[in-house]
Amino acid sequence: MRLQFILSEIWIGLRRNLSMATSVALVTMVSVLFLGLGVLSQRQVDTMKDYWYDRVQVSIFLCTAKSDLPNCSAGAVTDAQRKAIRGQLDAMKPLVKSVFPESQQQAYDRLKEQYKDSPSYRDIKPEQMPESFRVQLSDPTKYDVITSSFIGAPGVGDVQDQRRILDPLFNVLRGLSYGALSLAGLMVLCSVLLVATTIRQTAFSRRRETGIMRLVGASAFIIQLPFILETLVATMVGTALALGLLWAMVKYGIGYLADKLPINFITTADVLTVSPWLVAIAAGLAMLTAWFTLRRYLRV
Amino acid sequence: MIRFENVSKTYPRSSQPALRGVSLDIERGEFVFLVGQSGSGKSTLMRLILREERVTSGNVLVAGRELSTLPNRKVPELRREIGTVFQDFRLLPNKNVFQNVAFALQVLGKPRHTIKAVVPETLEMVGLDGKENRLPHELSGGEQQRVAIARAFVNKPAILLADEPTGNLDPTTSLDIVRLLDRINRTGTTIVMATHDDEIVDQLRKRVVELNNGELIRDQHRGVYGAQR
Ligand SMILES: Nc1ncnc2c1ncn2[C@@H]1O[C@H](COP(=O)(O)OP(=O)(O)O)[C@@H](O)[C@H]1O
Ligand SMILES: [Mg+2]
């Protein structure tokens, strides 16, 4: 079939069916928008995780003279114990990327610096602050190895992983993004059903055309093609609108936040990365739905 | 060209067969009237030729193809050799005369220059030159049927099926339409026309095949509508 003829038939079809095509485009837009938000928020969580996990440390706190920690009943850490711990850490390369020893005085200075306006730490003395090794891991998820090696070791008061503070936050964010994805799933289901209904209706309202096509010997492919292409045009218009919205949201919404907050945010580059996938999903689902519906409701 | 070998057809959800044991041989270039009361199976016979329906038993051969073993994907090819005209014209209401006829070629992927050459030629043959730009509702019933005939014939099919093409037309117009079919027949096209119209059948004296209740009860050369007494 000539391209020009196909295009003009599709144009006529879309115009005659404008309200249906619009509803398909809008519902597709909302589903792709939710799908995009879900995927992008997953990426946001990953981005933040990468950022923070690179910075989190495992702290091995050593015993002070007056510590009440159960493992510190023997008193302050000895030089020999300190050396042993350090040696063991050095032996754990490459998991252990780097080790920063922090003396009692340094810990005290840091506390004073962080809480200089707060009265609650005014009476604290440097001797009360625990000395520590701050350990940076090449793979932050493996902090268990450090914990199990050093907890209860002579001279070690406690082992703390900063990740434990961050993880609940990430879990909440992850949960929210899964929520968006489930909502997107529902919306996609709605779009699929709407597309199927629309094609059914259209096939019925064009039964005269398709009947003539059949009679003069047009192939099944040619009879189905206008339906498939019209569906594709409507869903792609919706998808394009959704991607535009996502781009604008990230560019202006997230962009605004990124200027204000010291957090790594996704950028429009992430939108560009996920766009081909969203287009492929929308187009694939549209064609699949069209194909199934036509097989059932369009005699060829 | 068309051969029925002991063909029976029972529609699903129907107890009575629409055709029973019909055997029929139509040669290339023949003109055949298919007569019989309403419900006698005329349309069913045509639907079997088009493979719109499949036989329940027996065999149908059309243009060298055995239809019971013809795969679905080959059916369009079969239908390109058959033009079809109906009582209700079945024109596309928002396309003009030219576009209605061209549509049959466009959906087969014929190039534009072919369409530009063949469509006016066909319209002239059916006597519609000068009316290319009219919409169907701006035409009389007879003219609409001419458009439908032009559309059925524009691809030069070997067979033309006409299912009561004059059923909606007055007697004079009906005769004009049948004369047109006769002219098409003389170009070598095999024509099968189902009809109720005794005057036409009696006037043209072509081969008459009569169905009654799904059975072929008469096959007569140069026949008339009613059985001879
Ligand atoms: N699609 C169908 N389903 C069931 N029965 C049908 C169908 N089409 C036709 N029939 C029956 O088959 C018989 C023959 O019908 P038809 O071929 O249309 O006769 P004619 O064209 O001679 O009036 C009738 O009894 C009719 O009721
Ligand atoms: Mg009939």
Side-chain angles (χ1 to χ4, degrees), chain A:
Chain A
M1 194 149 44
R2 300 285 116 176
L3 188 66
Q4 200 193 350
F5 173 66
I6 298 182
L7 291 181
S8 85
E9 286 295 300
I10 290 170
W11 177 238
I12 292 170
L14 284 173
R15 245 187 9 202
R16 238 194 306 172
N17 238 351
L18 193 61
S19 60
M20 292 236 235
T22 310
S23 66
V24 167
L26 288 180
V27 170
T28 308
M29 181 187 90
V30 177
S31 354
V32 174
L33 189 62
F34 271 98
L35 210 56
L37 286 177
V39 175
L40 285 176
S41 55
Q42 294 276 344
R43 285 178 84 87
Q44 177 61 45
V45 174
D46 289 340
T47 306
M48 282 167 75
K49 241 184 167 160
D50 284 349
Y51 179 83
W52 287 110
Y53 277 14
D54 268 357
R55 282 159 183 76
V56 298
Q57 297 164 333
V58 182
S59 301
I60 302 173
F61 292 103
L62 306 180
C63 292
T64 57
K66 294 216 176 96
S67 172
D68 348 316
L69 290 165
N71 200 40
C72 292
S73 46
V77 62
T78 65
D79 271 350
Q81 286 169 342
R82 194 181 291 118
K83 271 213 180 86
I85 294 165
R86 178 73 206 225
Q88 204 179 336
L89 279 172
D90 288 342
M92 288 173 91
K93 279 173 183 159
L95 174 62
V96 171
K97 206 158 79 182
S98 49
V99 181
F100 311 98
E102 189 179 64
S103 69
Q104 288 183 303
Q105 186 60 45
Q106 283 168 326
Y108 175 80
D109 292 345
R110 199 156 60 90
L111 184 82
K112 283 284 158 185
E113 172 64 27
Q114 264 173 17
Y115 298 98
K116 56 174 174 270
D117 302 326
S118 160
S120 26
Y121 297 106
R122 200 181 303 143
D123 300 332
I124 213 155
K125 306 242 158 13
E127 309 89 78
Q128 290 171 293
M129 294 299 295
E131 179 183 352
S132 66
F133 285 113
R134 312 224 149 219
V135 181
Q136 184 112 46
L137 300 180
S138 54
D139 178 0
T141 57
K142 294 232 174 83
Y143 77 99
D144 276 353
V145 180
I146 305 292
T147 316
S148 59
S149 313
F150 291 97
I151 204 127
V156 174
D158 196 9
V159 181
Q160 269 182 15
D161 174 28
Q162 292 177 335
R163 245 178 48 130
R164 278 219 309 265
I165 311 160
L166 292 172
D167 275 353
L169 173 70
F170 289 141
N171 287 341
V172 169
L173 291 175
R174 188 72 83 192
L176 284 175
S177 71
Y178 279 125
L181 278 179
S182 335
L183 220 54
L186 271 180
M187 284 308 303
V188 167
L189 184 68
C190 282
S191 328
V192 165
L193 293 176
L194 180 72
V195 166
T197 314
T198 306
I199 290 176
R200 241 176 94 179
Q201 291 249 7
T202 313
F204 183 75
S205 69
R206 290 198 206 148
R207 61 196 184 286
R208 185 177 284 253
E209 270 99 330
T210 52
I212 291 163
M213 286 170 129
R214 238 158 23 90
L215 272 181
V216 300
S219 63
F221 175 72
I222 290 296
I223 297 175
Q224 293 176 347
L225 193 63
F227 291 88
I228 293 179
L229 289 182
E230 278 173 45
T231 309
L232 211 55
V233 168
T235 48
M236 286 301 100
V237 166
T239 307
L241 288 174
L243 293 180
L245 273 178
L246 278 176
W247 190 88
M249 279 160 113
V250 171
K251 170 94 182 168
Y252 301 107
I254 303 255
Y256 175 79
L257 282 179
D259 282 346
K260 305 271 161 195
L261 297 173
I263 301 176
N264 259 35
F265 280 106
I266 50 167
T267 62
T268 50
D270 291 88
V271 180
L272 292 183
T273 315
V274 300
S275 292
W277 295 102
L278 294 177
V279 170
I281 289 172
L285 271 179
M287 294 209 285
L288 212 65
T289 311
W291 184 69
F292 266 110
T293 316
L294 289 171
R295 252 170 47 128
R296 261 200 81 171
Y297 294 102
L298 189 69
R299 260 188 88 196
V300 289

Side-chain angles (χ1 to χ4, degrees), chain B residues 27-38:
Chain B
E27 299 297 325
R28 179 182 292 275
E30 268 196 285
F31 191 125
V32 179
F33 281 123
L34 196 58
V35 301
Q37 291 178 336
S38 182

Side-chain angles (χ1 to χ4, degrees), chain B residues 207-225:
Chain B
R207 181 176 171 190
V208 174
V209 170
E210 184 170 354
L211 288 174
N212 183 19
N213 220 350
E215 277 178 282
L216 196 157
I217 55 166
R218 178 161 65 110
D219 186 350
Q220 189 178 23
H221 282 270
R222 299 184 61 74
V224 291
Y225 187 83

